[in-house]
Each structure stands twice: as C-alpha cells, then as structure tokens.
Amino acid sequence: GEDVEQSLFLSVREGDSSVINCTYTDSSSTYLYWYKQEPGAGLQLLTYIFSNMDMKQDQRLTVLLNKKDKHLSLRIADTQTGDSAIYFCAETRYNFNKFYFGSGTKLNVKP
Amino acid sequence: DTGVSQDPRHKITKRGQNVTFRCDPISEHNRLYWYRQTLGQGPEFLTYFQNEAQLEKSRLLSDRFSAERPKGSFSTLEIQRTEQGDSAMYLCASSSSGRGLAGGLKSYEQYFGPGTRLTVT
C-alpha cells in the first residue's frame, strides 16, 4: 500500500512540546521523512529516519519509529510560534524512485 | 547554489489550452521529481527522472500530461487540453545519487522548488 495518514490539526502553547503522528501501510518503506511547509512557501526537509532505526534526535526534533505498528512521530521540544506550519510525513523505498506524502498536520502554536 | 527553481510561479489559463512548466534542479542533482499538490493535501507523486531517463510515472499522469528532461538538467511538464481539475500547485524536487562525505546515501535529501500554481478557468 501507499497510504500515509496524519491527523489534520494540532494546537499547542508556546514552550510546550508538540507531537505529530503519522501511520503508513507500506512495509517496504525504507526512509521516512518529515517536511515543513509554511504559507506560500515550498516544502522544507526537516529530518528523516532509516527504517532500521527507532529514534533520531536533531536539536529540538525527535523522530520515533515503530516499524511493527508502522507508526512515525515527530516531537518538537519547546515549540515556538515560528514552528506554526503544516508538517508532512513521507516515505520511500530503497531506490528513491517514488515518494508518498501524507495530507499534512497543521500545527498552530499559541503565544 | 540557488536551489530548485520553477517557472512560471503562477499560470492562469482557460480550459482547453496547453501549458508548459519548467523546473531547474540544483546543478549537480541527477534525480528530478514532479508532484501535484491540491489544497489541503500533501504532494502527489507524478513522475521521476534519473538523468534524462523517465523511470517512474504515476497512474495519475494521464495521456494529457507529458514530462521531459532532454539533457538531464532542466525538465518540462506539459499539460494538454487543460481541465478545471488540473488546477493545483505543481512542485518539482531534486536530489543526488551517490554518497556523501560520511559515506551515507545522498539520495534521501530531496529539495523542493517553490512550485507553479496553475489556475484553469
């Protein structure tokens, strides 16, 4: 399957942690990604994780992967108003010939 | 390095007309992707080139859509006999094959252009 699913909205207060969740169906997925899209802008690659890893940390971002449940999450620590954007989960197989994206989670950070 | 560029940024056309979009990838990138994004949705994969070879095409890419990358550098996406349902943002992305300095694959680093917004009236 090629389905990647995300919840549509998340609202948090500035300084709290945000957790954005994603599920996918393709057991052949090799790389899983998180992208950020701000209004009127293109997609910005935030981070990625290889399917044989279960966690990756990059500054304020922590990616957790549960391969058994095909569940991916992105945790943003100390969320700032500048983090308000749409976050997309994506996956691809080993040959990188196709990428499949979720519908995006709109993160709203309240001051 | 100026990143991935796309031209035009906006296009308004009447139903039935043909349109062509251009994508210039990052200069050393041999992989190039086209996506379509409609409001409230994530990018949908359309097609993939490695150098000048078109290696993947989505079922979404009807006969009215054609893409080329003649010299393995820039790419064009043409839509013939446009329909209102073609209204969307068309995104281009590029990446590089081969290995980075640390020996890891560079292919996973896909960079997107700003997109071409098509409105069909």
Side-chain angles (χ1 to χ4, degrees):
Chain A
E2 305 159 350
D3 291 331
V4 180
E5 306 245 343
Q6 300 178 239
S7 52
L8 292 180
F9 299 102
L10 177 65
S11 184
V12 299
R13 293 209 173 274
E14 192 174 19
D16 288 350
S17 292
S18 307
V19 180
I20 302 171
N21 294 301
C22 169
T23 57
Y24 60 98
T25 57
D26 189 351
S27 55
S28 302
S29 297
T30 306
Y31 280 91
L32 296 124
Y33 298 77
W34 286 102
Y35 285 84
K36 177 183 180 183
Q37 188 174 39
E38 293 177 276
L43 275 79
Q44 175 194 354
L45 175 62
L46 286 178
T47 188
Y48 60 90
I49 189 168
F50 188 47
S51 59
N52 69 352
M53 299 167 66
D54 52 19
M55 187 181 93
K56 179 178 180 181
Q57 189 151 3
D58 185 359
Q59 299 181 344
R60 291 191 298 124
L61 305 179
T62 303
V63 179
L64 295 178
L65 175 62
N66 181 328
K67 194 175 180 184
K68 174 177 168 289
D69 294 339
K70 300 189 185 69
H71 181 267
L72 182 74
S73 67
L74 174 70
R75 179 177 179 270
I76 306 173
D78 187 25
T79 314
Q80 303 298 305
T81 53
D83 294 325
S84 292
I86 300 175
Y87 291 80
F88 292 97
C89 168
E91 57 95 1
T92 190
R93 296 187 183 184
Y94 70 95
N95 61 5
F96 304 95
N97 283 9
K98 291 184 187 181
F99 286 74
Y100 295 100
F101 286 77
S103 298
T105 299
K106 186 170 183 179
L107 175 65
N108 179 43
V109 182
K110 295 178 284 191
Chain B
D1 182 0
T2 57
V4 179
S5 61
Q6 294 188 243
D7 184 69
R9 294 292 304 275
H10 303 274
K11 178 73 178 177
I12 300 174
T13 191
K14 291 188 176 175
R15 188 164 51 96
Q17 298 294 304
N18 299 343
V19 294
T20 301
F21 309 140
R22 177 179 170 125
C23 170
D24 285 88
I26 293 172
S27 58
E28 68 269 22
H29 284 186
N30 61 335
R31 294 173 175 258
L32 187 146
Y33 305 81
W34 284 100
Y35 295 86
R36 179 173 66 189
Q37 186 178 22
T38 52
L39 198 62
Q41 298 296 315
E44 293 176 290
F45 170 81
L46 292 179
T47 191
Y48 160 67
F49 289 86
Q50 184 161 326
N51 300 308
E52 64 276 8
Q54 189 174 20
L55 297 185
E56 290 282 355
K57 283 176 66 171
S58 166
R59 291 186 297 274
L60 295 172
L61 216 63
S62 75
D63 292 345
R64 297 185 298 105
F65 287 70
S66 62
E68 293 184 341
R69 194 182 183 198
K71 296 181 182 177
S73 57
F74 73 91
S75 175
T76 58
L77 177 69
E78 181 184 16
I79 309 174
Q80 296 182 323
R81 304 181 304 281
T82 51
E83 301 171 357
Q84 287 187 315
D86 297 330
S87 294
M89 178 76 86
Y90 289 84
L91 298 169
C92 177
S94 71
S95 67
S96 173
S97 295
R99 295 190 179 272
L101 292 174
L105 288 175
K106 295 193 291 186
S107 299
Y108 47 75
E109 294 180 2
Q110 184 178 194
Y111 295 94
F112 279 82
T116 294
R117 182 168 295 284
L118 173 66
T119 302
V120 181
T121 61

